[in-house]
Coordinates of all heavy atoms in Angstrom, one line a residue:
R152 N 13.9 9.3 -1.1 CA 15.2 8.6 -1.1 C 15.3 7.8 0.2 O 16.1 6.8 0.2 CB 16.4 9.6 -1.3 CG 16.6 10.5 -0.1 CD 18.0 11.2 -0.2 NE 18.2 12.0 1.0 CZ 17.8 13.3 1.1 NH1 17.3 13.9 0.1 NH2 18.1 13.9 2.2
N153 N 14.7 8.2 1.3 CA 14.7 7.4 2.5 C 13.6 6.3 2.5 O 13.9 5.2 2.8 CB 14.5 8.3 3.8 CG 15.6 9.3 3.9 OD1 16.8 8.9 3.6 ND2 15.4 10.4 4.5
A154 N 12.4 6.7 2.1 CA 11.3 5.8 2.1 C 11.6 4.6 1.2 O 11.2 3.5 1.5 CB 10.0 6.5 1.6
E155 N 12.3 4.8 0.1 CA 12.5 3.7 -0.9 C 13.4 2.6 -0.3 O 13.5 1.5 -0.9 CB 12.9 4.2 -2.2 CG 14.3 4.8 -2.3 CD 14.5 5.6 -3.7 OE1 13.5 5.7 -4.4 OE2 15.7 5.9 -3.9
R156 N 14.1 2.9 0.8 CA 14.9 1.9 1.4 C 14.1 1.1 2.5 O 14.7 0.2 3.0 CB 16.2 2.6 2.0 CG 17.1 3.0 0.9 CD 18.2 4.0 1.4 NE 19.1 3.4 2.4 CZ 20.1 4.1 2.9 NH1 20.3 5.3 2.5 NH2 20.9 3.5 3.8
L157 N 12.9 1.5 2.7 CA 12.1 0.9 3.8 C 11.1 -0.1 3.1 O 11.2 -0.3 1.9 CB 11.4 1.9 4.6 CG 12.3 2.8 5.4 CD1 11.7 3.9 6.0 CD2 13.0 1.9 6.5
T158 N 10.3 -0.8 3.9 CA 9.5 -1.9 3.3 C 8.4 -1.5 2.4 O 8.0 -0.3 2.3 CB 8.8 -2.7 4.5 OG1 7.9 -1.9 5.1 CG2 9.9 -3.2 5.5
E159 N 8.0 -2.5 1.6 CA 6.9 -2.2 0.7 C 5.7 -1.6 1.3 O 5.1 -0.7 0.8 CB 6.6 -3.5 -0.1 CG 5.7 -3.3 -1.3 CD 5.2 -4.7 -1.8 OE1 5.9 -5.7 -1.6 OE2 4.2 -4.7 -2.5
E160 N 5.3 -2.1 2.5 CA 4.1 -1.6 3.2 C 4.4 -0.1 3.5 O 3.5 0.7 3.4 CB 3.8 -2.4 4.4 CG 2.5 -1.9 5.1 CD 2.2 -2.6 6.4 OE1 2.6 -2.1 7.4 OE2 1.5 -3.6 6.4
F161 N 5.6 0.2 4.0 CA 5.8 1.6 4.4 C 5.6 2.5 3.1 O 5.0 3.6 3.2 CB 7.2 1.8 5.0 CG 7.6 3.1 5.4 CD1 7.3 3.5 6.7 CD2 8.2 4.1 4.6 CE1 7.6 4.8 7.2 CE2 8.4 5.4 5.0 CZ 8.1 5.7 6.3
R162 N 6.2 2.1 2.0 CA 6.1 2.9 0.8 C 4.7 3.0 0.3 O 4.4 3.9 -0.4 CB 7.1 2.3 -0.3 CG 8.5 2.3 0.1 CD 9.4 2.0 -1.2 NE 9.0 0.8 -1.8 CZ 9.4 -0.4 -1.6 NH1 10.4 -0.6 -0.6 NH2 9.1 -1.5 -2.3
S163 N 3.8 2.0 0.6 CA 2.5 2.0 0.0 C 1.6 3.0 0.6 O 0.5 3.3 0.1 CB 1.9 0.6 0.3 OG 1.5 0.5 1.6
A164 N 2.1 3.6 1.8 CA 1.2 4.6 2.5 C 0.0 3.9 3.2 O -0.8 4.6 3.8 CB 0.8 5.8 1.7
S165 N -0.2 2.6 3.0 CA -1.2 1.9 3.8 C -0.5 1.3 4.9 O -0.2 0.1 5.0 CB -1.9 0.8 2.9 OG -2.8 0.2 3.7
C166 N -0.2 2.1 5.9 CA 0.8 1.8 6.9 C 0.6 2.5 8.2 O 1.1 3.6 8.5 CB 2.2 2.1 6.3 SG 3.6 1.9 7.5
H167 N -0.3 2.0 9.0 CA -0.4 2.4 10.4 C -0.7 1.2 11.3 O -1.8 0.6 11.2 CB -1.5 3.5 10.6 CG -1.6 4.0 12.0 ND1 -0.8 4.9 12.5 CD2 -2.5 3.6 13.0 CE1 -1.1 5.1 13.8 NE2 -2.1 4.3 14.1
A168 N 0.2 0.9 12.2 CA 0.0 -0.3 13.0 C -0.1 -1.5 12.2 O -0.7 -2.5 12.7 CB -1.1 -0.1 14.0
G169 N 0.5 -1.5 11.0 CA 0.4 -2.7 10.2 C 1.7 -3.6 10.3 O 2.2 -3.6 11.4
Q170 N 2.0 -4.2 9.2 CA 3.2 -5.1 9.3 C 4.5 -4.4 9.6 O 5.3 -4.9 10.4 CB 3.3 -5.8 7.9 CG 4.5 -6.8 7.8 CD 4.5 -7.6 6.5 OE1 3.5 -7.5 5.8 NE2 5.6 -8.3 6.3
Y171 N 4.7 -3.2 9.1 CA 5.9 -2.4 9.3 C 6.1 -2.0 10.7 O 7.0 -2.4 11.4 CB 5.9 -1.2 8.4 CG 6.9 -0.2 8.6 CD1 8.2 -0.3 8.0 CD2 6.8 0.9 9.5 CE1 9.2 0.6 8.2 CE2 7.8 1.8 9.7 CZ 9.0 1.7 9.1 OH 10.0 2.6 9.3
E172 N 5.1 -1.3 11.3 CA 5.3 -0.8 12.7 C 5.2 -2.0 13.7 O 5.9 -1.9 14.7 CB 4.2 0.2 13.0 CG 4.5 1.6 12.3 CD 3.6 2.7 12.9 OE1 2.3 2.4 13.0 OE2 4.0 3.8 13.2
T173 N 4.3 -2.9 13.5 CA 4.1 -4.0 14.5 C 5.4 -4.8 14.5 O 5.8 -5.3 15.6 CB 2.9 -4.8 14.1 OG1 1.7 -4.0 14.0 CG2 2.6 -5.8 15.2
S174 N 6.0 -5.0 13.4 CA 7.3 -5.8 13.4 C 8.3 -5.1 14.2 O 9.1 -5.7 14.9 CB 7.8 -5.9 11.9 OG 6.9 -6.8 11.2
L175 N 8.4 -3.8 14.1 CA 9.4 -3.0 14.9 C 9.1 -3.1 16.4 O 10.1 -3.3 17.2 CB 9.4 -1.5 14.5 CG 10.0 -1.3 13.0 CD1 9.6 0.1 12.5 CD2 11.5 -1.4 13.1
V176 N 7.9 -3.1 16.8 CA 7.6 -3.3 18.2 C 7.9 -4.7 18.6 O 8.4 -4.9 19.7 CB 6.1 -2.9 18.5 CG1 5.8 -3.1 20.0 CG2 5.7 -1.5 18.1
L177 N 7.6 -5.7 17.8 CA 7.9 -7.1 18.1 C 9.4 -7.3 18.3 O 9.8 -8.1 19.1 CB 7.4 -8.0 17.0 CG 5.9 -8.3 17.0 CD1 5.5 -9.1 15.8 CD2 5.4 -9.0 18.2
A178 N 10.2 -6.5 17.6 CA 11.6 -6.6 17.7 C 12.1 -6.2 19.1 O 13.1 -6.8 19.6 CB 12.3 -5.9 16.6
D179 N 11.6 -5.1 19.6 CA 12.1 -4.5 20.8 C 11.3 -4.8 22.1 O 11.8 -4.9 23.1 CB 12.3 -3.0 20.6 CG 13.7 -2.7 20.2 OD1 14.4 -3.6 19.8 OD2 14.1 -1.5 20.2
R180 N 10.0 -4.8 21.9 CA 9.1 -5.0 23.0 C 7.9 -5.9 22.7 O 6.7 -5.5 22.7 CB 8.5 -3.6 23.5 CG 9.6 -2.7 24.1 CD 10.1 -3.2 25.4 NE 9.2 -3.5 26.4 CZ 8.7 -2.7 27.3 NH1 9.1 -1.5 27.3 NH2 7.8 -3.1 28.2
P181 N 8.2 -7.2 22.5 CA 7.2 -8.1 22.1 C 6.1 -8.2 23.2 O 5.0 -8.6 23.0 CB 7.9 -9.5 21.9 CG 9.2 -9.3 22.6 CD 9.6 -7.8 22.5
D182 N 6.5 -8.0 24.4 CA 5.6 -8.0 25.6 C 4.5 -7.0 25.4 O 3.5 -7.1 26.1 CB 6.4 -7.8 26.9 CG 7.1 -6.4 26.9 OD1 7.9 -6.2 25.9 OD2 7.0 -5.7 27.8
L183 N 4.7 -6.0 24.6 CA 3.6 -5.0 24.5 C 2.7 -5.2 23.3 O 1.7 -4.4 23.1 CB 4.3 -3.6 24.3 CG 5.2 -3.1 25.4 CD1 5.7 -1.6 25.1 CD2 4.4 -3.1 26.8
V184 N 2.9 -6.3 22.6 CA 2.0 -6.6 21.5 C 1.0 -7.7 21.9 O 1.4 -8.8 22.4 CB 2.8 -7.1 20.2 CG1 1.8 -7.4 19.1 CG2 3.7 -6.0 19.8
D185 N -0.3 -7.5 21.7 CA -1.3 -8.5 21.9 C -1.3 -9.4 20.7 O -2.0 -9.1 19.7 CB -2.7 -7.8 22.2 CG -3.8 -8.9 22.4 OD1 -3.6 -10.0 22.1 OD2 -4.8 -8.5 23.0
T186 N -0.6 -10.5 20.7 CA -0.4 -11.2 19.4 C -1.6 -12.0 19.0 O -1.8 -12.2 17.9 CB 0.9 -12.2 19.6 OG1 0.7 -12.9 20.8 CG2 2.2 -11.5 19.5
A187 N -2.5 -12.3 20.0 CA -3.7 -13.0 19.6 C -4.6 -12.0 18.8 O -5.2 -12.3 17.8 CB -4.5 -13.5 20.9
A188 N -4.7 -10.8 19.3 CA -5.4 -9.7 18.6 C -4.8 -9.5 17.2 O -5.5 -9.3 16.2 CB -5.6 -8.5 19.4
M189 N -3.5 -9.4 17.2 CA -2.8 -9.1 16.0 C -3.1 -10.2 14.9 O -3.4 -9.8 13.8 CB -1.3 -9.1 16.3 CG -0.4 -8.9 15.1 SD 1.4 -9.3 15.6 CE 1.6 -10.9 14.9
A190 N -3.1 -11.4 15.3 CA -3.2 -12.5 14.4 C -4.6 -12.6 13.7 O -4.9 -13.1 12.7 CB -2.9 -13.9 15.1
A191 N -5.6 -11.9 14.5 CA -7.0 -12.0 14.0 C -7.3 -10.8 13.0 O -8.4 -10.8 12.5 CB -7.9 -11.9 15.2
L192 N -6.4 -9.9 12.8 CA -6.7 -8.7 12.0 C -6.5 -9.0 10.5 O -5.4 -9.4 10.1 CB -5.7 -7.5 12.4 CG -6.0 -7.0 13.8 CD1 -4.9 -6.0 14.2 CD2 -7.4 -6.5 14.0
A193 N -7.5 -8.8 9.7 CA -7.4 -8.9 8.3 C -6.6 -7.8 7.7 O -6.7 -6.7 8.2 CB -8.8 -9.0 7.7
P194 N -5.9 -8.1 6.6 CA -5.2 -6.9 5.9 C -6.2 -5.9 5.5 O -7.3 -6.3 5.1 CB -4.5 -7.6 4.7 CG -4.6 -9.1 5.0 CD -5.7 -9.3 5.9
L195 N -5.9 -4.7 5.6 CA -6.8 -3.6 5.3 C -6.0 -2.5 4.5 O -5.0 -2.0 5.0 CB -7.3 -2.9 6.5 CG -8.2 -1.7 6.3 CD1 -9.5 -2.1 5.6 CD2 -8.6 -1.1 7.7
R196 N -6.4 -2.4 3.2 CA -5.6 -1.4 2.4 C -6.3 0.0 2.4 O -7.4 0.1 2.0 CB -5.5 -2.0 1.0 CG -4.9 -1.0 0.0 CD -4.0 -1.7 -1.0 NE -3.3 -0.7 -1.8 CZ -2.2 -0.1 -1.5 NH1 -1.5 -0.5 -0.5 NH2 -1.7 0.9 -2.2

Side-chain angles (χ1 to χ4, degrees):
R152 67 165 186 271
N153 293 329
E155 69 191 8
R156 288 165 65 177
L157 295 169
T158 68
E159 190 185 339
E160 186 187 88
F161 185 88
R162 294 193 309 271
S163 76
S165 180
C166 176
H167 179 80
Q170 181 174 346
Y171 171 87
E172 285 190 314
T173 307
S174 292
L175 288 163
V176 180
L177 285 173
D179 267 10
R180 291 297 306 272
D182 56 309
L183 298 183
V184 178
D185 181 339
T186 47
M189 176 190 106
L192 294 171
L195 176 65
R196 175 142 184 91

